[in-house]
Amino acid sequence: MKEIRLAVRQLVEFLLRSGSIDSRFTGFDRANEGSRIHRKLQKEAGEGYQAEVFLSAKRTVEGIEYTIEGRADGIFSDPESGVVIDEIKTTAVPFDQIQEEMNPCHWAQGMIYGAIYAQQNGLESLSVRLTYYQIDEGKIRRYLRQYSYEELERFFSELLEQYLPWARRELDWAEQRRSSLEALSFPYPAYRPGQRALAGEIYRACRAGKEEGRKGGTRLFCQAPTGIGKTMSAIFPALKAMAQGQGDKIFYLTARTTTRAAAENAVALLRRSQPGLCLRSVTLTAKEKICLCKNQAGRPVCMPQTCPYANGYYDRIKNALAELLDQGCSYDRTTLEQMAQKHTVCPFELALELSEWCDLVVGDYNHLFHPVVRLRRFFDGAGDWIFLIDEAHNLPDRAREMYSAYFLKSSFSAAKKALGPGRSRLKSALGAADRAMLAARRRCEELAPRRGQQAAPSPPDAVPDTEGPEQLTLEPETAPVKTPSVSLTLPEPLYAQDGILFFAQLPEELLRPMQSLLPILQDWLEEHPEGAAHEAMLELYFSLHDLMRTAGQYDTHYVTQLCARGSELELRLLCLDPSAFVDSCLSAGRAAALFSATLAPPSYYREVLGCADARAVALQSPFPQKNLGLFCLTGISTRYRDREASIRPISDALAMLAGSRLGNYLAFFPSYAYLKKVHADFSERYPQIPTLVQESGMDEAGRDAFLARFTHSPDRTLLGFGVLGGVFGEGVDLTGDRLIGCAVIGVGLPQVNPRQEMLRRYYDEKNGEGFDYAYRCPGMNKVLQAAGRVIRTESDRGVVLLLDDRFLRGDYRRLYPPHWNHLTYLSDTEALQKKLEEFWAQPPALS
């Protein structure tokens, strides 16, 4: 007998949800807030109230056996109503507008739980209660209905019959997919060196899943150099594991659009190699990019009054979904936009609906890890998911960013200005929050040592690789305004430097008026949907919600940063250690493979990403080592104090590199200022070598124009000047002779600033490796990524030149990948010239 498993909520919402999308003012973390309120109400219900009762039932309809399961919010007995199934819902609908028939899905969920519970306990009747909690006013409204068992069972059966066409579609596809994937063969005649090993590691991780008893399944780190074919080496074995029933869905998650395209290309190749392959894949695109209805500010407008794709969306979505599922298997952005326009549905929501029916979902890190936009439909509980995390070296910084929040005092003054003249409840609340920020700013000015005063020392090797402490773009000084004085107490600072203070605790007194402002701000937004200040108020609303959400998860992994400059105060809740959050997210699946060309040392990534028991493997490059000339000039120091003295020697080394053979070259610097100084010297002394400079804040067109200059078979040598860790330092494929050499100036240490020092202090206390975690490991990652631009295919040949005496030190050499074991250290440019001549004189090695 064919079997299908559905969650109660999934069944009900798919069949009964109707009407329009309307995302106005629902907050952007209602799910977490709702869970908290559920727990509160369940606790307040007292003895005899059973909370989160798991219920499961099997029903057979026309040869298909359904397993329907879920958790009832509460079950209790009442002298008058008997057994009661309690369905709790949080809502932003104003309290006086809450109605009994507001959402049929809510009654339907309670009725299905009632049918299951009545059948299991032999009850002839029971009651269903809807408990609505108005999230902003804190008020509760309840409705109660009594049903016979026959009524509940009939309703349940009718829903399962309505779902039959979709159940058959799902079961038929599962069988086709299984047999198709079992027959799937590797799309190339042979594996590249190292490719079979990588594929084997990922296959074993997928197969092991949760069977090894690890929390959340198997974790695997793979350092796989360029050329192994990481994308295919990850997707192919995951699909083969899925064919064996080891995994229901694959999530291929990336940091950039270019790597998402690589996943799409890999799947396209699999389809070409096996015509008729049954594999559904969807690429998720951010709402801001795929939205078909934006306002003048370029923001999506998800309101039925103004967006035809939101208006009546749920009444049309099933037709669009059915057509996509029946007519194709590959759903990229273009396909989704075309179908959305045909059926007048939101393409962003269509992609999310479609993801539940697909075997492979290609998306961004945010879709799994972000606390607000993560795919809750999959990841609020555990599932049989396989996570493939591409370019995983980007994840530590991205994760810290996702779980942090910041806010500027000037946001309040800008909001008051946008409201215009006159008094209002909102203006009063804004004023109260602004006065608290002002008091905090004055207190910071009293507590924080300014530049030139005593501050905590930096570690010996942490000499700035950029031009001093970070500079903030702040509100200019304004004329003093008479403001009522507010007394505010801040915790004792952990650390203070250059006007920036760090605290271990939340500044509760500062946050309290901001929390009070939120419901007032929401009321204003609801009352003024077309107001001139609406956009500004909505932006403020989102910023405050993000701040309060982050405050709600604040713990020992966080610090609070306050920075007072001029009339501005910047508040940041900084996540220093995202390991617990990343670990929790990965625990939603059966297996996770995190891979990149640069994942050294593995201990750093295990620690920062919460994968203490993960297996880590480092693979050799598949390309002939002789095709990469790898040299280091050890007589140059790029430390900040030595920058001026290093300019001429660096120019000479770059001229020697670029003059060794006609072709295209890139030089990567630790900062724009350093880059410009060397470029000015180089251009004056070596005018015969054309140069190209990466400018700060380049847009997409500027980046494309820059890369377009790196042509095949150039008739003149070109030397590009770029920044380590910038857009050209990773994710750029200049294959063949489009790039035959690069120079890396410095060891890439992040900028020494108070925030980075706070990160160092945190890990010094945690594991004694603060400098490695805050500076050395991130810096060498940028170095290795930049160096990896040179050899991209088996026929590529080129030179990497490292310029800094620190590359000779053991604490940096231990971070080199295995295929760097032929690095040659040179003391002067004469030795470099000789080695370059020898390298280019030898014939290329064959794979």
Side-chain angles (χ1 to χ4, degrees):
M1 182 178 292
K2 295 181 178 181
E3 298 181 5
I4 194 163
R5 184 179 297 271
L6 283 171
V8 171
R9 183 169 181 172
Q10 180 185 2
L11 172 67
V12 165
E13 291 191 347
F14 184 80
L15 292 175
L16 301 182
R17 195 165 44 178
S18 61
S20 305
I21 298 172
D22 192 345
S23 61
R24 290 174 296 177
F25 328 131
T26 56
F28 74 119
D29 198 23
R30 289 297 192 195
N32 281 341
E33 204 168 355
S35 298
R36 180 186 62 81
I37 291 168
H38 272 58
R39 292 190 295 270
K40 174 180 178 291
L41 295 180
Q42 290 163 345
K43 186 176 181 179
E44 292 174 352
E47 293 184 10
Y49 187 97
Q50 302 175 66
E52 300 297 324
V53 180
F54 179 77
L55 295 172
S56 179
K58 294 184 181 296
R59 297 288 190 276
T60 302
V61 181
E62 296 188 17
I64 293 178
E65 184 177 79
Y66 289 93
T67 298
I68 308 298
E69 58 192 18
R71 291 187 180 276
D73 294 326
I75 300 177
F76 65 96
S77 294
D78 180 81
E80 295 183 5
S81 306
V83 173
V84 179
I85 305 293
D86 194 19
E87 188 67 21
I88 301 172
K89 298 297 179 184
T90 56
T91 180
V93 173
F95 186 74
D96 58 1
Q97 296 179 27
I98 295 175
Q99 299 176 7
E100 188 172 355
E101 297 293 344
M102 188 168 66
N103 191 329
C105 294
H106 298 166
W107 283 113
Q109 281 181 253
M111 291 172 70
I112 292 179
Y113 289 131
I116 297 172
Y117 190 82
Q119 190 263 340
Q120 292 176 349
N121 291 275
L123 301 178
E124 295 183 1
S125 65
L126 53 70
S127 297
V128 174
R129 186 177 77 177
L130 284 189
T131 299
Y132 284 112
Y133 183 95
Q134 211 293 329
I135 207 163
D136 298 307
E137 300 177 55
K139 295 180 179 179
I140 298 172
R141 176 161 284 168
R142 292 187 169 98
Y143 300 100
L144 187 73
R145 291 178 179 175
Q146 192 166 43
Y147 296 96
S148 68
Y149 168 66
E150 289 76 14
E151 288 178 296
L152 295 170
E153 189 63 32
R154 183 167 57 252
F155 177 77
F156 192 7
S157 298
E158 288 173 354
L159 283 185
L160 295 179
E161 289 173 4
Q162 287 182 47
Y163 195 79
L164 272 175
W166 298 94
R168 293 193 179 104
R169 182 183 273 109
E170 181 177 343
L171 291 169
D172 291 346
W173 179 261
E175 180 57 31
Q176 294 173 47
R177 184 190 73 177
R178 184 192 62 76
S179 58
S180 178
L181 293 181
E182 283 182 347
L184 181 64
S185 59
F186 196 64
Y188 297 105
Y191 285 92
R192 296 176 185 176
Q195 194 169 33
R196 181 185 290 275
L198 176 58
E201 290 283 356
I202 292 177
Y203 178 75
R204 286 188 288 275
C206 295
R207 289 293 305 269
K210 300 182 181 181
E211 296 174 357
E212 297 185 8
R214 295 187 180 94
K215 179 185 176 183
T218 304
R219 315 276 175 84
L220 172 69
F221 285 107
C222 294
Q223 180 167 281
T226 300
I228 281 182
K230 295 187 289 294
T231 306
M232 186 62 74
S233 301
I235 291 176
F236 178 75
L239 291 174
K240 296 302 287 185
M242 186 186 289
Q244 302 301 316
Q246 309 296 329
D248 287 339
K249 197 182 300 287
I250 300 168
F251 293 89
Y252 191 100
L253 305 172
T254 75
R256 297 188 312 275
T257 303
T258 52
T259 39
R260 287 198 284 280
E264 291 177 325
N265 293 338
V267 174
L269 176 59
L270 288 171
R271 290 198 172 99
R272 290 195 300 271
S273 69
Q274 183 170 316
L277 174 65
C278 293
L279 175 67
R280 288 182 181 143
S281 63
V282 62
T283 301
L284 303 181
T285 305
K287 181 185 289 189
E288 290 73 17
K289 293 182 179 180
I290 201 172
C291 178
L292 298 174
C293 184
K294 300 179 181 179
N295 60 19
Q296 291 182 343
R299 294 181 180 276
V301 182
C302 302
M303 296 184 291
Q305 294 92 330
T306 54
C307 178
Y309 304 98
N311 188 26
Y313 167 85
Y314 293 113
D315 302 324
R316 298 184 296 272
I317 183 58
K318 286 195 280 293
N319 289 336
L321 194 58
E323 185 172 341
L324 280 169
L325 294 176
D326 293 342
Q327 294 186 5
C329 295
S330 178
Y331 313 112
D332 59 12
R333 176 176 174 176
T334 300
T335 301
L336 292 168
E337 287 176 338
Q338 291 173 348
M339 189 61 66
Q341 289 172 332
K342 179 178 179 180
H343 288 272
T344 320
V345 294
C346 170
F348 175 75
E349 294 292 339
L350 174 59
L352 295 181
E353 297 280 358
L354 192 60
S355 67
E356 301 206 39
W357 300 84
C358 287
D359 314 305
L360 171 64
V361 179
V362 180
D364 185 86
Y365 291 166
N366 286 344
H367 292 122
L368 173 60
F369 299 107
H370 198 284
V372 175
V373 301
R374 68 196 300 258
L375 301 178
R376 296 187 179 277
R377 64 186 67 206
F378 299 113
F379 307 139
D380 270 358
D384 205 27
W385 321 126
I386 295 171
F387 300 132
L388 304 178
I389 315 295
D390 197 2
E391 300 295 344
H393 65 273
N394 290 302
L395 189 52
D397 283 344
R398 280 286 299 273
R400 287 191 183 100
E401 178 186 345
M402 289 176 196
Y403 296 102
S404 298
Y406 78 97
F407 192 83
L408 294 175
K409 177 185 178 297
S410 56
S411 300
F412 291 132
S413 54
K416 288 189 289 184
K417 183 177 179 180
L419 287 173
R423 296 182 178 182
S424 67
R425 180 169 172 245
L426 176 56
K427 270 197 170 182
S428 298
L430 286 168
D434 192 34
R435 288 191 293 275
M437 289 285 276
L438 175 61
R441 193 196 80 204
R442 289 170 176 165
R443 184 64 180 141
C444 286
E445 290 171 344
E446 296 170 2
L447 293 173
R450 308 303 302 175
R451 189 174 301 183
Q453 294 178 257
Q454 184 65 33
S458 296
D461 199 33
V463 181
D465 273 356
T466 49
E467 280 47 63
E470 67 175 12
Q471 299 299 310
L472 303 174
T473 302
L474 301 170
E475 180 187 22
E477 286 282 4
T478 57
V481 177
K482 290 185 178 180
T483 306
S485 178
V486 173
S487 171
L488 186 139
T489 303
L490 292 177
E492 189 68 23
L494 275 175
Y495 170 58
Q497 182 179 353
D498 292 326
I500 301 175
L501 293 96
F502 295 91
F503 307 88
Q505 299 86 27
L506 278 170
E508 300 284 357
E509 288 187 42
L510 178 58
L511 295 179
R512 200 170 295 126
M514 300 186 198
Q515 181 70 63
S516 300
L517 171 61
L518 268 175
I520 300 171
L521 184 57
Q522 177 158 325
D523 288 344
W524 187 95
L525 287 166
E526 291 173 346
E527 294 165 5
H528 302 82
E530 307 298 331
H534 186 273
E535 188 70 25
M537 296 304 109
L538 191 62
E539 184 70 27
L540 177 62
Y541 174 80
F542 285 157
S543 295
L544 284 172
H545 246 298
D546 188 43
L547 187 68
M548 294 307 156
R549 172 192 55 78
T550 306
Q553 61 192 19
Y554 193 100
D555 59 13
T556 56
H557 299 96
Y558 281 83
V559 292
T560 299
Q561 174 187 317
L562 287 173
C563 175
R565 299 277 171 84
S567 61
E568 184 64 280
L569 178 70
E570 181 189 58
L571 164 65
R572 288 182 182 267
L573 305 182
L574 289 174
C575 178
L576 300 176
D577 181 359
S579 58
F581 302 116
V582 174
D583 175 50
S584 175
C585 292
L586 293 177
S587 294
R590 67 173 287 113
L594 301 92
F595 48 95
S596 170
T598 53
L599 284 179
S603 58
Y604 166 74
Y605 289 96
R606 286 192 185 108
E607 176 88 26
V608 175
L609 299 178
C611 299
D613 297 329
R615 174 172 166 77
V617 296
L619 303 172
Q620 284 281 356
S621 171
F623 302 142
Q625 196 175 70
K626 288 179 64 177
N627 285 350
L628 174 65
L630 189 56
F631 310 112
C632 176
L633 270 182
T634 60
I636 295 176
S637 169
T638 69
R639 295 171 180 83
Y640 188 64
R641 62 175 178 267
D642 301 322
R643 292 266 167 101
E644 291 298 325
S646 71
I647 291 173
R648 289 179 66 88
I650 289 174
S651 289
D652 293 338
L654 293 180
M656 188 164 292
L657 174 66
S660 64
R661 186 182 182 90
L662 172 65
N664 299 318
Y665 299 84
L666 275 171
F668 293 100
F669 291 80
S671 74
Y672 282 103
Y674 197 17
L675 177 157
K676 290 178 180 177
K677 288 180 179 180
V678 176
H679 180 258
D681 179 80
F682 184 92
S683 300
E684 180 182 350
R685 297 171 56 227
Y686 298 99
Q688 72 278 14
I689 301 177
T691 60
L692 186 63
V693 177
Q694 175 185 350
E695 299 295 339
S696 178
M698 268 185 169
D699 59 15
E700 189 170 345
R703 295 195 294 268
D704 291 343
F706 185 98
L707 294 174
R709 291 283 301 278
F710 290 78
T711 60
H712 286 292
S713 304
D715 54 10
R716 295 186 68 190
T717 287
L718 175 67
L719 175 60
F721 284 67
V723 177
L724 272 173
V727 292
F728 304 121
E730 64 175 278
V732 172
D733 261 336
L734 296 172
T735 58
D737 60 356
R738 290 188 66 194
L739 184 70
I740 64 169
C742 85
V744 180
I745 293 89
V747 291
L749 299 185
Q751 176 187 29
V752 175
N753 58 43
R755 195 184 316 161
Q756 210 67 20
E757 283 295 277
M758 194 66 245
L759 187 64
R760 176 185 66 82
R761 292 162 64 96
Y762 173 84
Y763 280 106
D764 268 342
E765 292 182 10
K766 184 174 184 180
N767 58 23
E769 298 185 60
F771 182 72
D772 274 3
Y773 278 47
Y775 293 102
R776 185 177 288 120
C777 292
M780 281 302 297
N781 187 285
K782 290 186 285 186
V783 169
L784 297 175
Q785 282 291 322
R789 298 314 96 206
V790 176
I791 303 293
R792 308 300 297 174
T793 73
E794 60 273 7
S795 60
D796 286 1
R797 193 165 176 239
V799 174
V800 171
L801 174 61
L802 307 177
L803 300 175
D804 195 294
D805 57 13
R806 286 171 286 186
F807 285 116
L808 186 60
R809 287 170 37 174
D811 45 9
Y812 288 91
R813 294 172 66 175
R814 66 184 175 84
L815 302 180
Y816 296 166
H819 62 278
W820 271 30
N821 59 11
H822 66 305
L823 173 61
T824 302
Y825 296 95
L826 306 170
S827 59
D828 53 49
T829 52
E830 291 183 8
L832 173 62
Q833 183 175 14
K834 181 179 178 182
K835 286 296 182 181
L836 289 171
E837 290 173 353
E838 291 175 357
F839 175 79
W840 290 118
Q842 66 184 6
L846 301 177
S847 298

